[in-house]
Amino acid sequence: MPDHYTYLEDTMALRLPKAELPAELKGHMVKQLGAVPANVEVLWHSPQVTQDNLEFGASAGAWDAADASLKSFAHMAVAAQVGCSWCLDVGYFQAQNEKLDLAKASQVPRWREAEVFTPLERDVLEYAEAMTNTPPTVTDEQYASLLERLGPAAMVELTVFIAYVNMATRANVANGVTSQGFSDACEIPLAKRPERTGAASTA
């Protein structure tokens, strides 16, 4: 597995062949993203799991207590740390579609070195990584600092959202799902994680 700061290149192959989606679902996916997501095709071997996952993902996407940019950055930070190139790819593509700050979104994989993030954004990115570490390394001080600035509802939402994207990213990596090139349409190239040594271990 890559270390804490190594960006995962697309060297894996699907460990489970794609299943054929119903025409209606396939059409919806193409309309939404311009292509059928490979992870959905892999998960469709269990339609119930796929449907439940899509429904929860849609519900999580509709939560509005926490700032959308903070959640988007947190998602990409988790994806970069876990090594889910598919999630980074589609997350950056969705950031563009949601008219978020692409200059910032493009730098999430190297956020510690980038100078574009606010103190709150940096703390959220650090929190996302702390939650993703195995075991998690969230501290009382870290949590309390974010809680004071975000409030209870947004803090709960952000925490559960990060936990959910951990599930999604890890499932993609385990299934061998990698980038499909969604972010190729973005004008600003997506940064890669710089290599470092001696960082906290991750799953």
Side-chain angles (χ1 to χ4, degrees), residues 79-91:
Q81 184 168 335
V82 171
C84 181
S85 62
W86 188 92
C87 291
L88 266 179
D89 178 41
V90 77

PDB file of all heavy atoms in Angstrom, residues 79-91:
ATOM      1  N   ALA A  79     -10.107  10.483  -0.141  1.00  0.00           N
ATOM      2  CA  ALA A  79      -9.793   9.718  -1.343  1.00  0.00           C
ATOM      3  C   ALA A  79      -8.295   9.689  -1.612  1.00  0.00           C
ATOM      4  O   ALA A  79      -7.725   8.650  -1.976  1.00  0.00           O
ATOM      5  CB  ALA A  79     -10.534  10.303  -2.542  1.00  0.00           C
ATOM      6  N   ALA A  80      -7.641  10.840  -1.438  1.00  0.00           N
ATOM      7  CA  ALA A  80      -6.197  10.903  -1.668  1.00  0.00           C
ATOM      8  C   ALA A  80      -5.450  10.049  -0.657  1.00  0.00           C
ATOM      9  O   ALA A  80      -4.475   9.372  -0.994  1.00  0.00           O
ATOM     10  CB  ALA A  80      -5.726  12.352  -1.594  1.00  0.00           C
ATOM     11  N   GLN A  81      -5.907  10.063   0.596  1.00  0.00           N
ATOM     12  CA  GLN A  81      -5.221   9.306   1.632  1.00  0.00           C
ATOM     13  C   GLN A  81      -5.428   7.807   1.470  1.00  0.00           C
ATOM     14  O   GLN A  81      -4.493   7.019   1.608  1.00  0.00           O
ATOM     15  CB  GLN A  81      -5.702   9.745   3.012  1.00  0.00           C
ATOM     16  CG  GLN A  81      -4.976   9.066   4.157  1.00  0.00           C
ATOM     17  CD  GLN A  81      -5.269   9.711   5.495  1.00  0.00           C
ATOM     18  OE1 GLN A  81      -5.607  10.882   5.560  1.00  0.00           O
ATOM     19  NE2 GLN A  81      -5.133   8.953   6.551  1.00  0.00           N
ATOM     20  N   VAL A  82      -6.654   7.396   1.171  1.00  0.00           N
ATOM     21  CA  VAL A  82      -6.950   5.974   0.996  1.00  0.00           C
ATOM     22  C   VAL A  82      -6.331   5.444  -0.297  1.00  0.00           C
ATOM     23  O   VAL A  82      -5.950   4.292  -0.393  1.00  0.00           O
ATOM     24  CB  VAL A  82      -8.478   5.736   1.018  1.00  0.00           C
ATOM     25  CG1 VAL A  82      -8.837   4.314   0.619  1.00  0.00           C
ATOM     26  CG2 VAL A  82      -9.034   6.048   2.407  1.00  0.00           C
ATOM     27  N   GLY A  83      -6.220   6.319  -1.304  1.00  0.00           N
ATOM     28  CA  GLY A  83      -5.673   5.912  -2.592  1.00  0.00           C
ATOM     29  C   GLY A  83      -6.746   5.604  -3.607  1.00  0.00           C
ATOM     30  O   GLY A  83      -6.554   4.770  -4.492  1.00  0.00           O
ATOM     31  N   CYS A  84      -7.917   6.270  -3.481  1.00  0.00           N
ATOM     32  CA  CYS A  84      -9.020   6.025  -4.424  1.00  0.00           C
ATOM     33  C   CYS A  84      -8.951   7.057  -5.542  1.00  0.00           C
ATOM     34  O   CYS A  84      -9.504   8.152  -5.433  1.00  0.00           O
ATOM     35  CB  CYS A  84     -10.371   6.102  -3.703  1.00  0.00           C
ATOM     36  SG  CYS A  84     -11.779   5.773  -4.800  1.00  0.00           S
ATOM     37  N   SER A  85      -8.285   6.709  -6.631  1.00  0.00           N
ATOM     38  CA  SER A  85      -8.155   7.643  -7.747  1.00  0.00           C
ATOM     39  C   SER A  85      -9.504   7.910  -8.408  1.00  0.00           C
ATOM     40  O   SER A  85      -9.725   8.990  -8.951  1.00  0.00           O
ATOM     41  CB  SER A  85      -7.156   7.116  -8.775  1.00  0.00           C
ATOM     42  OG  SER A  85      -7.592   5.878  -9.324  1.00  0.00           O
ATOM     43  N   TRP A  86     -10.425   6.939  -8.358  1.00  0.00           N
ATOM     44  CA  TRP A  86     -11.748   7.155  -8.940  1.00  0.00           C
ATOM     45  C   TRP A  86     -12.470   8.271  -8.180  1.00  0.00           C
ATOM     46  O   TRP A  86     -13.069   9.161  -8.784  1.00  0.00           O
ATOM     47  CB  TRP A  86     -12.588   5.873  -8.902  1.00  0.00           C
ATOM     48  CG  TRP A  86     -13.874   6.004  -9.664  1.00  0.00           C
ATOM     49  CD1 TRP A  86     -14.083   5.678 -10.979  1.00  0.00           C
ATOM     50  CD2 TRP A  86     -15.115   6.531  -9.193  1.00  0.00           C
ATOM     51  NE1 TRP A  86     -15.380   5.980 -11.340  1.00  0.00           N
ATOM     52  CE2 TRP A  86     -16.037   6.497 -10.269  1.00  0.00           C
ATOM     53  CE3 TRP A  86     -15.544   7.023  -7.957  1.00  0.00           C
ATOM     54  CZ2 TRP A  86     -17.353   6.936 -10.141  1.00  0.00           C
ATOM     55  CZ3 TRP A  86     -16.856   7.469  -7.830  1.00  0.00           C
ATOM     56  CH2 TRP A  86     -17.746   7.426  -8.904  1.00  0.00           C
ATOM     57  N   CYS A  87     -12.412   8.228  -6.851  1.00  0.00           N
ATOM     58  CA  CYS A  87     -13.098   9.235  -6.044  1.00  0.00           C
ATOM     59  C   CYS A  87     -12.474  10.619  -6.224  1.00  0.00           C
ATOM     60  O   CYS A  87     -13.186  11.622  -6.278  1.00  0.00           O
ATOM     61  CB  CYS A  87     -13.067   8.848  -4.568  1.00  0.00           C
ATOM     62  SG  CYS A  87     -14.064   7.404  -4.166  1.00  0.00           S
ATOM     63  N   LEU A  88     -11.151  10.677  -6.310  1.00  0.00           N
ATOM     64  CA  LEU A  88     -10.503  11.956  -6.564  1.00  0.00           C
ATOM     65  C   LEU A  88     -10.933  12.504  -7.915  1.00  0.00           C
ATOM     66  O   LEU A  88     -11.240  13.690  -8.053  1.00  0.00           O
ATOM     67  CB  LEU A  88      -8.979  11.788  -6.553  1.00  0.00           C
ATOM     68  CG  LEU A  88      -8.240  12.043  -5.248  1.00  0.00           C
ATOM     69  CD1 LEU A  88      -6.751  11.793  -5.455  1.00  0.00           C
ATOM     70  CD2 LEU A  88      -8.483  13.454  -4.747  1.00  0.00           C
ATOM     71  N   ASP A  89     -10.954  11.643  -8.905  1.00  0.00           N
ATOM     72  CA  ASP A  89     -11.309  12.026 -10.260  1.00  0.00           C
ATOM     73  C   ASP A  89     -12.735  12.576 -10.326  1.00  0.00           C
ATOM     74  O   ASP A  89     -12.977  13.697 -10.783  1.00  0.00           O
ATOM     75  CB  ASP A  89     -11.172  10.790 -11.165  1.00  0.00           C
ATOM     76  CG  ASP A  89     -11.564  11.044 -12.602  1.00  0.00           C
ATOM     77  OD1 ASP A  89     -11.223  12.116 -13.128  1.00  0.00           O
ATOM     78  OD2 ASP A  89     -12.197  10.160 -13.201  1.00  0.00           O
ATOM     79  N   VAL A  90     -13.697  11.809  -9.831  1.00  0.00           N
ATOM     80  CA  VAL A  90     -15.098  12.240  -9.913  1.00  0.00           C
ATOM     81  C   VAL A  90     -15.372  13.369  -8.930  1.00  0.00           C
ATOM     82  O   VAL A  90     -16.201  14.254  -9.200  1.00  0.00           O
ATOM     83  CB  VAL A  90     -16.059  11.052  -9.688  1.00  0.00           C
ATOM     84  CG1 VAL A  90     -16.160  10.668  -8.226  1.00  0.00           C
ATOM     85  CG2 VAL A  90     -17.436  11.343 -10.269  1.00  0.00           C
ATOM     86  N   GLY A  91     -14.676  13.380  -7.785  1.00  0.00           N
ATOM     87  CA  GLY A  91     -14.869  14.453  -6.820  1.00  0.00           C
ATOM     88  C   GLY A  91     -14.453  15.799  -7.379  1.00  0.00           C
ATOM     89  O   GLY A  91     -15.136  16.813  -7.160  1.00  0.00           O
TER      90      GLY A  91
END
